[in-house]
Amino acid sequence: MGKYVPLRFNDAEEEVLLRLHAASTDAALGTHIKRVYFDASQPNTNALQGMRQELGMFRELLARPNGLSATGIDTDLLMGLICGLYLMVRKSVGEGVRTQADEFIDVSAVENYLRGRR
C-alpha cells in the first residue's frame, strides 16, 4: 500500500499547478503531480540520444572542406544557427533538462564559438 502525503500549496503555486494540470492529459490532479515529479527525475535518454545523432551529422558536415557541404550548404552559417537555437532552447527548459544536456554539451564552448564568429 502506498503512503499518503498531504501537500499544501500557496495561492500562486495552486494557480500554476491547476493551469498546468488543465493543459495536461491527466484526469486526476494527483496523477498529474506524480507524473511530473517522477518524469522529471528520470533522464530523458531518448532526447539525449537524438541529440548525439544530430551532433554526429553536424560533425560530418563541418569536416568537409571550404565550409560548403556537397549540397552547397554553408556549414559555418548552419553551425551558427544550430548553436543559437541550442542556446535558446537551453534557456527555455527547466534546470533538470539543462543539467542533463550539460553532461554532453559544454554550453561555454557553444557561447565561445558564437562570440568568435563576430
Side-chain angles (χ1 to χ4, degrees):
M1 182 78 180
K3 180 176 174 141
Y4 175 77
V5 180
L7 297 172
R8 233 180 254 289
F9 298 99
N10 65 34
D11 291 340
E13 293 168 335
E14 181 183 18
E15 181 182 327
V16 170
L17 177 63
L18 293 176
R19 185 175 27 126
L20 293 173
H21 175 244
S24 76
T25 58
D26 298 319
L29 184 59
T31 303
H32 174 72
I33 293 170
K34 287 189 280 187
R35 184 185 54 77
V36 170
Y37 178 81
F38 289 111
D39 284 356
S41 68
Q42 300 297 318
N44 192 343
T45 53
N46 290 340
L48 294 175
Q49 183 60 31
M51 288 174 68
R52 274 195 201 122
Q53 292 171 350
E54 290 172 8
L55 288 172
M57 291 186 326
F58 296 136
R59 280 190 206 107
E60 290 176 19
L61 280 173
L62 294 172
R64 297 183 183 182
N66 302 328
L68 290 178
S69 69
T71 59
I73 296 171
D74 182 346
T75 54
D76 188 47
L77 174 62
L78 178 64
M79 189 63 175
L81 289 170
I82 291 165
C83 288
L85 287 171
Y86 174 76
L87 291 176
M88 288 171 45
V89 170
R90 186 180 181 278
K91 289 180 181 181
S92 71
V93 298
E95 185 62 33
V97 175
R98 277 194 294 273
T99 301
Q100 290 177 30
D102 288 349
E103 292 178 20
F104 299 97
I105 299 173
D106 181 4
V107 71
S108 62
V110 174
E111 291 168 338
N112 289 337
Y113 174 82
L114 289 174
R115 280 189 207 106
R117 294 184 69 236
R118 294 181 188 163

